[in-house]
Amino acid sequence: MATGTLPLVFNGANVPLILYLLIHVEVILCQQFVIPFKAPSDCKAEEFFDISSLSCVSCGPNQSRSRTGLSCVCQTGYQTLTTDKASISCQQCPIDKPAVTRDGFGCIRCPGSLNDEGNCKCPPENILVERDINGNLLDEARCETCNGESPALTVPNSRGDRCERCQASFINTSCDCNSPNVLAGGLCFRPGSLSTNVNPSVNYAQLKFSLQSAWFLENLYASSAACLVSSNLTACQALGNMCVMNMHSFSGVSTDACGLFNTIFRSKAALSSAQDISYWRANLPWLYYGDEPGLASRVLQTEPVPSGFSFRGRKKNTDIRLLAAIYNVRGEFLRWEPVGGRNLQLCPQPATKQAAAFSFGTAYQESCDLSVAELLGSHPEPLFYDVFMDVGGGENTRLLPLPTLVLNQQYNGRFINQESMKNWYLSRRMFLIDMLSGREKNTNSLPKVIRVASSVKIRFQLVPRTQEGQVFPPLMVVTYRDIPITDINAQTVSTSFAVEYEMDQNEARMKTDTALGVMGGVAVLYSLLKTVSWKRRSATTDVDGVTLVNFLFFYAGDLANVFFIVTVGTGLYWLIFYKAQQFVSVLLPLPAQEEKLVTYIGCAFALKAIQFLHKLFSQVSVDMFLIDWERPRSKTSRTVQAAGESKREPSPVSIWRTYFVANEWNEIQTIRKISPTFQIVTVLFFLEVLGFSSLALRDPWATLQRPSEAYTPSYSLTLRYGLAATLWICIGLLQVIFFTVFYEHFVEDKIRQFVDLCSISNISVLVLSHSCFGYYIHGRSVHGHADTNMEEMNNNLRREQESLCGQRGLLPNTDIQTFQVALTKSLRSQYSKIQDSISRRNRPSRLTDATMGHFSEPQCKAYHTMNHFLASVIDHAFPDKDYIVKDKLMFERVVGMEFLEPSEKSIFYNDEAHSFSSVLFYGNEGTLLIFDTLFFCVVDLGSQSFVLAAVLTYVQQMIFCFIRNTLGRRNLAHKTLVDKRFLI
């Protein structure tokens, strides 16, 4: 098959066409389609609005615009001719038949005069007849009189073309409602049936005024009288609706809507009840449950709903099926409708999110602002709802009525439903939007006031101790808001819809309080024990203010632990049992019920902060001294200026080893058993990345990832706290285990490395955390000297590794280098005297830091005196200040108190656990971990943001770490005379 290019052939005849296209191609490509805007109101009297072309089109001859403006009609005196086209044609009626029939397609002669439209006109109580029984047009129309006498009792219908039997409320012998009978709403009532002095007012209690409603003025008396006299069903429903629009309220006036309803209700006491419910009288709507004292609690907390709920398993049942019987304002029944979507939920939300409101256990809350103008257009008349709950029954569906609590309801001026339950007045029917009753002049005018359900809440209460998911009848709580209309196009109204679930929290609250009471009592005893231990270690005997203050500090820390244990246990309990249950047996506390737990959490944080600050102050104010065991190894020649002669004196011992040990102590002051940064990052990873935060939502589902289109309920503070605290503690404990078991054994243990450094440096460390109690690290070198060259140092280390020298312990043939020391008062007194000399310094200059060198000669002598004194004490050089070495009893370790008092000799307790770390952050990891946990949780509970809580926790850690380093460095320099510039 050959391929090629088709030749372009020019034909002379095509040249003008091609030129035309080339000239006008730009116009063709750039053409825009624009039409003029026309509305039906813009058309003239002889024009109509064509809905096809969206323009005004002239009518034909002898035609004019119709009332709607969307078509043309024949002028008066012209009949319409039928055509097959869309338009009509008009023909003038002949002189002998000047009138046009009512359908407009014929001409006829009238028995009397014509009306303005050119139709025949009949006298009152007559009907116009234009065709015979077969539909043939008569030559002359007839006016027939309807027989209003018995037995016919007919009157013209509303169109005036047919006689109909008059309404049953009229007198049987005539269709006329003559005086003294009362004509109202198209009905005729005998005199005395009901007083005509009715009160058509609607009370707006929030605005503190009432107005005469045009709707009530037209319909209140007619509905009341028809309901009372003839038990008219729609009239009774309409009367009930007017009572509902008046907030079900009772007052001293018995002629308002609710007063009239209750009058009729009492008058029908002899009649049977509807559905065997005593509060539901025959022919009347069910509006109230009754006014007996305590009735609300019996209705709401006596008989459970027949069906139960289950979150999981084969009998899973989480669907809340509600049905509503819907009535219009005239009392006509419209339909049964499932509750959901837009009938009770005014806020525009996707259907999937609105459906979540009726999934049992999911706390639902939606709110929005709606335009008053849009509500007026979409809800010109209110709809009324009688809500029921479908409780199953298979083919024979059974319905449970939902009690309604209208918070705006008044009883003689009191808002009784805002008081305690024993005063509640339960009702049934409710509405959402009332744009009708606030119309004052007529029912077509703009309303002066509108009434909107600003809050609709459905509350489920769990049956106590149920194991089958049983609940009491749900309660619908409605709050209305009265809005005066000022600028209808600019005004908005807030509305919300919520579904809540609650259970009796008294038992859980009692258990929590009992646990706090018992553990708080134990904390008091433990704090007293700590105070006794502090008094022993401080060598004080009097119970003074300092003792009391220290007891309060100890008690603050122990009570904080009690609060922390109880609150975390509470949060973890709800997290596990609520999220993992199959049949519903527990429900989360409501936000108002969580306030007490939040208070406990706040107390735990405040008390733990006090303990933390107390420990911080104690650590930065400890007494400390570095004992240098190094002795001069040779004597050098030195000239004494005073005598002018040469004298052999020992060479000075290098201070660098002391500086080195002091700097290492400074570095380990804030090390911890966990990595704070890793802790924060890991917690955030679990909560935000893996989605563990979803476990704190107020629904029963334990799913971590949720689709974006699904409804997301609010967070439970109880679950959020329990989840965050448990996660923080667990990750912290795992870190502690890892660092203690693996990292410190196989990578690095800075505490043991410090002890090892002291032995290599020939420096011992004495730290006194109390007046007569502290810690001693024996760092005396087994080689006698540490101030040596590299070769000798390596030889010493090799000899020690090969066990060719003695052991490092304080006692011969022992390796124990760390001790808890309990000093005698005499030893402490001597230590304090020398320490005072060390601490006493000349006044520093304004531009000189007191901790950066510039020590006086007396201070240096006092330093050497302290070094010699402590070294002599360790070497048993002072019989009156001697000490013994022993092991602590197990019970002494548990209670943290020494039973023996060092009266004659000081006591050195073997301490292989390196408890000197208690004056460092390292030995207080429990306190720091709980404080960080509480800080993180408190910030999160206040901000509802895990990220912000993590950031602030990190900042807090950095700040306190800086404070501890700065103050600890200053104290170290002050107590050991080590220049602060060497502490880096």
Side-chain angles (χ1 to χ4, degrees):
M1 180 177 180
T3 60
T5 304
L6 294 176
L8 182 61
V9 179
F10 286 92
N11 191 338
N14 295 332
V15 171
L17 176 62
I18 294 173
L19 291 176
Y20 177 83
L21 292 175
L22 290 176
I23 293 173
H24 295 278
V25 64
E26 182 176 357
V27 177
I28 295 173
L29 292 176
C30 298
Q31 182 178 2
Q32 292 182 339
F33 301 100
V34 179
I35 65 172
F37 171 76
K38 291 290 183 179
S41 59
D42 298 328
C43 298
K44 299 178 181 177
E46 67 276 5
E47 295 179 336
F48 77 98
F49 185 76
D50 185 358
I51 63 174
S52 176
S53 63
L54 301 178
S55 61
C56 294
V57 179
S58 298
C59 294
N62 304 316
Q63 298 177 12
S64 61
R65 185 174 57 184
S66 66
R67 291 181 179 179
T68 63
L70 303 180
S71 62
C72 293
V73 295
C74 293
Q75 294 179 356
T76 303
Y78 288 80
Q79 66 175 345
T80 303
L81 299 180
T82 305
T83 64
D84 295 333
K85 299 179 179 179
S87 60
I88 63 172
S89 61
C90 300
Q91 179 180 328
Q92 188 174 11
C93 290
I95 298 177
D96 59 337
K97 294 182 179 181
V100 181
T101 58
R102 289 191 175 185
D103 57 16
F105 287 93
C107 295
I108 196 169
R109 188 167 52 252
C110 294
S113 60
L114 279 67
N115 59 19
D116 295 337
E117 287 80 20
N119 305 126
C120 294
K121 181 179 180 182
C122 289
E125 305 302 326
N126 285 257
I127 63 170
L128 179 65
V129 179
E130 297 175 330
R131 298 180 185 272
D132 62 15
I133 193 171
N134 296 321
N136 298 317
L137 187 64
L138 301 175
D139 290 335
E140 183 177 352
R142 301 195 310 267
C143 290
E144 299 287 348
T145 303
C146 294
N147 185 5
E149 302 299 325
S150 178
L153 295 174
T154 60
V155 292
N157 64 1
S158 58
R159 294 185 60 187
D161 60 358
R162 183 180 177 183
C163 292
E164 292 181 346
R165 183 173 176 83
C166 59
Q167 211 277 334
S169 64
F170 285 74
I171 306 303
N172 291 335
T173 59
S174 173
C175 283
D176 296 328
C177 190
N178 299 318
S179 181
N181 299 319
V182 180
L183 179 64
L187 303 177
C188 187
F189 302 102
R190 290 189 179 95
S193 300
L194 182 70
S195 173
T196 57
N197 185 26
V198 297
N199 182 12
S201 298
V202 178
N203 182 32
Y204 296 97
Q206 294 176 353
L207 305 177
K208 297 182 179 179
F209 73 84
S210 61
L211 60 80
Q212 280 200 345
S213 168
W215 177 260
F216 282 37
L217 195 62
E218 292 179 7
N219 299 282
L220 180 57
Y221 177 80
S223 299
S224 304
C227 181
L228 176 63
V229 174
S230 58
S231 297
N232 185 282
L233 297 181
T234 55
C236 291
Q237 297 292 335
L239 174 61
N241 292 342
M242 284 183 271
C243 178
V244 173
M245 286 191 283
N246 229 345
M247 301 289 95
H248 298 84
S249 296
F250 294 102
S251 64
V253 180
S254 61
T255 56
D256 60 4
C258 292
L260 293 171
F261 177 86
N262 279 277
T263 299
I264 298 173
F265 181 86
R266 290 190 295 269
S267 70
K268 295 183 180 292
L271 299 180
S272 61
S273 300
Q275 302 287 354
D276 295 328
I277 299 175
S278 59
Y279 314 116
W280 194 351
R281 294 286 164 81
N283 305 323
L284 293 178
W286 182 8
L287 297 189
Y288 301 100
Y289 273 84
D291 57 356
E292 299 92 343
L295 178 62
S297 61
R298 296 201 301 272
V299 171
L300 297 174
Q301 298 178 346
T302 303
E303 289 294 328
V305 175
S307 59
F309 292 93
S310 173
F311 292 147
R312 293 168 185 83
R314 292 180 299 175
K315 296 184 178 180
K316 179 181 177 181
N317 177 26
T318 59
D319 295 332
I320 302 173
R321 297 180 297 275
L322 301 181
L323 290 175
I326 303 179
Y327 299 82
N328 64 13
V329 71
R330 297 167 185 81
E332 298 169 344
F333 175 80
L334 300 181
R335 60 190 174 273
W336 282 102
E337 187 173 272
V339 173
R342 293 298 300 274
N343 47 19
L344 291 186
Q345 297 166 270
L346 293 176
C347 293
Q349 293 287 344
T352 54
K353 291 189 176 182
Q354 289 187 334
F358 304 101
S359 176
F360 188 84
T362 300
Y364 187 87
Q365 173 76 40
E366 67 171 12
S367 58
C368 60
D369 293 332
L370 301 175
S371 168
V372 173
E374 293 180 1
L375 290 179
L376 182 61
S378 59
H379 298 79
E381 294 183 352
L383 294 178
F384 297 85
Y385 302 87
D386 287 347
V387 183
F388 298 83
M389 181 177 180
D390 182 355
V391 293
E395 296 181 356
N396 299 321
T397 302
R398 295 178 298 167
L399 300 180
L400 176 72
L402 260 66
T404 303
L405 186 72
V406 180
L407 297 183
N408 304 73
Q409 181 177 346
Q410 289 182 289
Y411 190 92
N412 292 329
R414 289 170 45 211
F415 290 99
I416 53 176
N417 289 341
Q418 298 179 18
E419 301 174 3
S420 61
M421 181 184 289
K422 66 180 181 180
N423 295 328
W424 284 359
Y425 208 105
L426 298 179
S427 55
R428 280 283 297 132
R429 184 165 294 186
M430 54 88 66
F431 66 91
L432 293 180
I433 301 172
D434 177 15
M435 297 279 184
L436 183 61
S437 64
R439 301 175 192 262
E440 192 171 20
K441 296 180 180 179
N442 58 71
T443 56
N444 294 322
S445 63
L446 281 177
K448 184 177 181 180
V449 183
I450 65 172
R451 185 168 268 161
V452 179
S454 60
S455 173
V456 178
K457 185 184 299 180
I458 302 176
R459 290 166 47 182
F460 287 82
Q461 183 174 6
L462 193 68
V463 175
R465 297 184 179 87
T466 181
Q467 299 297 325
E468 299 178 353
Q470 289 185 308
V471 296
F472 290 119
L475 173 67
M476 182 177 294
V477 182
V478 186
T479 304
Y480 292 96
R481 181 184 173 193
D482 302 332
I483 305 170
I485 298 300
T486 54
D487 185 356
I488 194 169
N489 293 316
Q491 285 181 280
T492 59
V493 57
S494 299
T495 182
S496 66
F497 179 83
V499 182
E500 289 184 350
Y501 304 89
E502 62 177 319
M503 64 176 292
D504 186 5
Q505 298 289 334
N506 290 329
E507 183 177 356
R509 191 178 299 113
M510 182 182 66
K511 290 181 179 179
T512 301
D513 294 342
T514 301
L516 285 174
V518 173
M519 298 178 67
V522 175
V524 171
L525 298 179
Y526 190 45
S527 300
L528 287 173
L529 191 63
K530 284 183 177 180
T531 306
V532 173
S533 175
W534 175 85
K535 286 181 60 63
R536 283 176 174 267
R537 293 177 175 183
S538 301
T540 60
T541 56
D542 299 332
V543 179
D544 51 7
V546 178
T547 304
L548 181 60
V549 170
N550 276 276
F551 167 75
L552 294 177
F553 279 131
F554 295 142
Y555 186 56
D558 295 332
L559 191 58
N561 294 336
V562 170
F563 277 117
F564 181 74
I565 294 171
V566 172
T567 53
V568 172
T570 301
L572 194 58
Y573 166 83
W574 289 111
L575 181 64
I576 294 175
F577 284 91
Y578 180 68
K579 292 289 184 177
Q581 62 185 332
Q582 178 176 345
F583 288 98
V584 183
S585 58
V586 294
L587 290 174
L588 292 175
L590 294 175
Q593 295 172 329
E594 292 178 319
E595 293 179 356
K596 198 168 187 179
L597 178 67
V598 173
T599 302
Y600 289 159
I601 296 171
C603 291
F605 172 70
L607 294 172
K608 183 56 69 172
I610 293 174
Q611 182 194 23
F612 171 68
L613 294 175
H614 177 240
K615 283 184 175 290
L616 183 66
F617 174 77
S618 299
Q619 289 184 5
V620 299
S621 59
V622 297
D623 288 329
M624 183 176 182
F625 194 82
L626 304 179
I627 306 172
D628 190 355
W629 295 97
E630 195 73 15
R631 297 294 180 263
R633 303 183 65 177
S634 62
K635 294 185 177 182
T636 58
S637 176
R638 185 169 68 91
T639 302
V640 180
Q641 296 180 359
E645 59 183 17
S646 178
K647 184 178 180 181
R648 302 280 294 179
E649 289 188 357
S651 60
V653 175
S654 173
I655 196 64
W656 284 105
R657 291 171 296 99
T658 302
Y659 285 176
F660 186 54
V661 171
N663 185 63
E664 287 301 313
W665 178 269
N666 181 61
E667 290 181 358
I668 67 173
Q669 288 189 101
T670 55
I671 65 168
R672 295 180 58 176
K673 295 180 181 179
I674 67 171
S675 169
T677 304
F678 177 81
Q679 175 83 10
I680 293 174
V681 171
T682 305
V683 169
L684 272 186
F685 176 77
F686 275 95
L687 290 175
E688 297 294 343
V689 179
L690 296 185
F692 273 53
S693 60
S694 298
L695 297 176
L697 295 175
R698 301 182 71 88
D699 62 21
W701 318 121
T703 53
L704 301 183
Q705 302 295 336
R706 306 190 180 209
S708 58
E709 64 274 9
Y711 173 74
T712 302
S714 60
Y715 285 98
S716 164
L717 296 183
T718 302
L719 296 185
R720 197 174 176 96
Y721 172 73
L723 175 67
T726 302
L727 195 59
W728 190 286
I729 290 295
C730 288
I731 294 175
L733 291 178
L734 289 176
Q735 280 203 82
V736 171
I737 294 172
F738 172 77
F739 273 82
T740 304
V741 177
F742 297 100
Y743 188 84
E744 292 182 350
H745 280 79
F746 301 104
V747 181
E748 183 181 32
D749 185 352
K750 292 189 176 182
I751 300 300
R752 286 180 171 80
Q753 286 178 350
F754 178 77
V755 176
D756 186 58
L757 175 66
C758 290
S759 295
I760 295 174
S761 303
N762 205 15
I763 300 291
S764 291
V765 180
L766 177 65
V767 180
L768 296 180
S769 58
H770 299 73
S771 296
C772 294
F773 183 85
Y775 307 94
Y776 173 67
I777 303 174
H778 185 62
R780 190 171 191 173
S781 175
V782 296
H783 309 289
H785 295 279
D787 195 1
T788 183
N789 56 32
M790 181 184 295
E791 181 180 2
E792 185 175 356
M793 177 64 71
N794 289 334
N795 288 333
N796 290 340
L797 294 177
R798 179 177 53 79
R799 291 178 58 208
E800 190 171 356
Q801 183 176 5
E802 296 175 356
S803 300
L804 300 178
C805 58
Q807 294 176 302
R808 293 181 175 181
L810 175 62
L811 298 179
N813 300 321
T814 61
D815 283 327
I816 301 178
Q817 295 179 257
T818 53
F819 303 87
Q820 296 181 16
V821 295
L823 307 181
T824 60
K825 291 183 179 180
S826 61
L827 177 57
R828 174 64 202 199
S829 176
Q830 185 64 31
Y831 177 90
S832 298
K833 289 180 182 179
I834 304 174
Q835 183 63 40
D836 289 343
S837 301
I838 295 176
S839 301
R840 191 183 305 117
R841 59 179 70 238
N842 296 328
R843 186 186 302 272
S845 66
R846 294 180 181 179
L847 302 179
T848 304
D849 190 346
T851 60
M852 300 179 65
H854 314 289
F855 300 115
S856 63
E857 183 176 352
Q859 285 180 291
C860 294
K861 289 183 178 180
Y863 169 82
H864 291 294
T865 302
M866 178 69 81
N867 190 82
H868 176 73
F869 170 70
L870 293 179
S872 300
V873 170
I874 300 301
D875 285 340
H876 301 279
F878 300 108
D880 59 332
K881 295 177 178 58
D882 204 358
Y883 64 92
I884 60 174
V885 179
K886 63 178 303 221
D887 291 325
K888 253 190 175 184
L889 299 176
M890 178 62 69
F891 191 64
E892 288 180 316
R893 297 178 185 273
V894 171
V895 300
M897 183 178 70
E898 298 74 35
F899 296 155
L900 294 179
E901 291 190 17
S903 57
E904 296 180 358
K905 291 185 177 182
S906 301
I907 304 174
F908 281 39
Y909 294 99
N910 293 318
D911 180 27
E912 297 183 87
H914 300 119
S915 57
F916 69 88
S917 62
S918 62
V919 298
L920 309 172
F921 271 6
Y922 184 89
N924 294 276
E925 187 58 55
T927 300
L928 295 174
L929 187 60
I930 294 176
F931 177 74
D932 289 344
T933 304
L934 289 170
F935 186 90
F936 178 84
C937 292
V938 167
V939 174
D940 172 66
L941 292 180
S943 65
Q944 295 286 289
S945 172
F946 288 124
V947 176
L948 178 62
V951 171
L952 293 184
T953 302
Y954 178 79
V955 172
Q956 166 264 132
Q957 290 174 341
M958 294 300 101
I959 291 175
F960 281 114
C961 187
F962 173 78
I963 294 174
R964 175 66 178 85
N965 272 325
T966 302
L967 298 182
R969 180 170 172 239
R970 181 183 295 272
N971 181 68
L972 179 62
H974 179 68
K975 297 295 177 60
T976 62
L977 294 187
V978 174
D979 196 303
K980 196 166 66 173
R981 287 170 292 186
F982 295 101
L983 305 176
I984 58 177

